[in-house]
Amino acid sequence: MNTQELSIRLKKIQIALSGIAADACLISTNVNMLYVAGRVLNGYCYIPVEGEPVFFIRRPIGLKGDNVRYIRKPEQIREMLIEMGISLPNYLLVEAAEIPHLDFVRLEKAMQVNRVGDCTHLLREVRAIKTEQEIAFIKESAARQSEMFTELPKHYKAGMTDSDISIIADQILRKKGCMPNLRIFGSTMEGGISCVWAGDNAATPSPYDFSLGGGGVESFPVGDNGTVLKEGMSIMVDTGCAVNGYISDQTRTFSVGKLVQKAYDVHQVSLEIQTLLSQLIKPGVICEDVYQTALTIVNKYQLSDSFMGTFQQAPFVGHGVGLVVNEPPVLCDRNKTVIEANMAIAIEPKFIVEGVGAVGTENTYVVRKDGLEKVTEAEEGVLNIAH
């Protein structure tokens, strides 16, 4: 990561700190460390409202720089700041919504400041507005992901399971340079590269806050569950591809042979929603208005009982993407967030057709001044994987 890019990100954080009259923030989570340092570090990064950041590192060894200090414990941070001639903060922010409570208490005691607050959501809001370098990374992820969807049908063989499809999709993405894991915000959230739903398993409720559920395998209760692929069954493949840490989110629907006509009709409704929302979204639009617009189409076709699930329905139609797969904003009801230029947003209207499975699409877009720029380009129709 070049220093100019990191300087841009640092300035964005400092402007946000100044906006709430905070003196500094102290971060340690992998995602925020990656954002400010360009790599994951074990330790802390102290970011003052003015001036250069200081990295207090445990691992890896061997890092050099004027603003790098090695520590064994966080209690050393305060004394090292004093030694470096850096003013101590009165109002310090830490990632209180992400770090364990005991770590928060320890940092509060170690830093001996008048006030400690939470910077978790402030940093998520900063990360929601992408730099052009971040957008370039997302576009590269999307390009490799789209190639995977083109290649995937070539690997189909009769008798396969949904888990086989998931493994193949993961393998193709890994060979294209995709990271082996996806980062997700939230302590109760987990995810792999690919989530595959075949047949009625798509309607199975899951504890995870994803667009659809699925029974999952072993102790991972979402997605593929070993369903044998059969004629007349849909296969929805939802993947997050991360290159340089930045995620594009894309979903495509396949069929095993021919589906009932209703499945194709409902899939067309998903495409209609995609088109309408992609024309609606631009800077200044409010998230809840986007969601309500999607619902008008859903209700028009009397599909509310199968939109984003059946027994358990996801109450959104899209979300931000970036260093984690669930960045803000969320396109959901009662969300007054105003969409801004350079946000990256995935739109994912999905439906369940009983006896068939899931149909629908998901695409990633970049918000530009005059509207959306689509970056995921795989074929969007229902493709017969057994053809």
Side-chain angles (χ1 to χ4, degrees):
M1 194 74 65
N2 65 62
T3 55
Q4 182 179 6
E5 170 68 14
L6 295 179
S7 294
I8 293 171
R9 299 181 189 187
L10 172 66
K11 188 63 178 176
K12 288 173 62 181
I13 293 173
Q14 290 176 322
I15 290 172
L17 292 174
S18 177
I20 59 171
D23 299 306
C25 66
L26 186 64
I27 66 172
S28 59
T29 60
N30 287 352
V31 167
N32 286 325
M33 195 68 82
L34 180 58
Y35 185 74
V36 301
R39 60 178 296 180
V40 173
L41 301 169
N42 184 324
Y44 302 87
C45 179
Y46 179 83
I47 302 175
V49 70
E50 293 181 356
E52 294 298 313
V54 183
F55 293 92
F56 298 96
I57 306 300
R58 292 193 184 104
R59 298 184 183 88
I61 63 171
L63 299 179
K64 301 186 186 318
D66 293 339
N67 290 341
V68 174
R69 296 290 187 276
Y70 275 88
I71 62 171
R72 293 177 293 101
K73 55 186 180 179
E75 285 75 12
Q76 295 174 269
I77 294 174
R78 186 176 188 276
E79 61 189 65
M80 286 185 175
L81 288 173
I82 294 172
E83 289 173 4
M84 296 174 72
I86 297 174
S87 299
L88 296 175
N90 288 312
Y91 181 22
L92 175 69
L93 303 181
V94 300
E95 300 153 305
E98 291 196 86
I99 62 175
H101 177 67
L102 289 179
D103 287 355
F104 174 84
V105 171
R106 184 175 183 181
L107 286 175
E108 185 177 35
K109 182 178 179 181
M111 294 302 294
Q112 300 177 36
V113 297
N114 293 329
R115 181 184 176 193
V116 178
D118 178 34
C119 64
T120 303
H121 297 289
L122 177 142
L123 293 177
R124 279 173 60 76
E125 290 172 358
V126 167
R127 297 202 320 260
I129 312 298
K130 308 298 188 289
T131 67
E132 287 302 322
Q133 178 64 79
E134 291 178 288
I135 291 170
F137 287 153
I138 292 172
K139 286 183 175 181
E140 180 60 33
S141 297
R144 301 187 196 188
Q145 187 180 47
S146 297
E147 291 173 1
M148 182 279 292
F149 279 112
T150 300
E151 296 178 20
L152 183 62
K154 302 174 185 177
H155 297 268
Y156 172 80
K157 294 179 182 178
M160 278 185 165
T161 68
D162 56 354
S163 299
D164 293 327
I165 297 296
S166 181
I167 291 167
I168 292 168
D170 283 3
Q171 185 180 51
I172 296 171
L173 288 170
R174 289 288 291 118
K175 287 184 176 181
K176 291 184 178 296
C178 179
M179 284 172 47
N181 66 303
L182 291 182
R183 295 187 171 98
I184 303 178
F185 176 76
S187 60
T188 61
M189 295 288 283
E190 302 173 296
I193 301 175
S194 301
C195 201
V196 175
W197 299 283
D200 288 330
N201 179 51
T204 303
S206 167
Y208 296 156
D209 191 18
F210 292 167
S211 57
L212 296 176
V217 292
E218 299 292 341
S219 60
F220 183 59
V222 70
D224 62 276
N225 68 340
T227 295
V228 177
L229 305 181
K230 297 179 181 179
E231 182 82 12
M233 182 181 289
S234 72
I235 311 165
M236 178 172 280
V237 182
D238 184 346
T239 66
C241 178
V243 178
N244 297 302
Y246 283 85
I247 299 165
S248 67
D249 207 356
Q250 185 171 189
T251 298
R252 294 296 182 262
T253 300
F254 299 91
S255 68
V256 184
K258 188 172 177 57
L259 305 180
V260 298
Q261 186 58 43
K262 180 180 179 180
Y264 297 107
D265 294 342
V266 174
H267 186 80
Q268 193 61 40
V269 175
S270 172
L271 298 181
E272 184 176 335
I273 294 171
Q274 283 274 357
T275 299
L276 182 61
L277 297 191
S278 66
Q279 294 170 347
L280 169 68
I281 296 173
K282 61 185 64 175
V285 172
I286 298 172
C287 287
E288 71 169 354
D289 292 342
V290 176
Y291 181 69
Q292 288 299 326
T293 300
L295 290 186
T296 61
I297 305 299
V298 172
N299 293 331
K300 171 185 172 182
Y301 292 101
Q302 299 181 344
L303 293 171
S304 59
D305 290 343
S306 62
F307 180 54
M308 305 299 281
T310 52
F311 307 110
Q312 177 176 287
Q313 295 176 293
F316 61 87
V317 73
H319 55 88
V321 293
L323 285 173
V324 298
V325 76
N326 54 342
E327 297 275 24
V330 181
L331 305 180
C332 64
D333 202 17
R334 297 187 295 278
N335 184 357
K336 304 294 186 183
T337 299
V338 176
I339 292 171
E340 299 182 53
N342 282 24
M343 286 180 167
I345 295 176
I347 302 174
E348 52 174 330
K350 297 169 181 175
F351 296 88
I352 302 293
V353 178
E354 187 177 356
V356 175
V359 295
T361 61
E362 179 177 21
N363 287 298
T364 295
Y365 302 84
V366 175
V367 182
R368 297 302 192 179
K369 287 186 290 186
D370 56 350
L372 292 187
E373 177 186 359
K374 183 180 176 184
V375 300
T376 44
E377 296 294 346
E379 168 62 40
E380 294 188 69
V382 178
L383 298 179
N384 184 356
I385 200 170
H387 183 67

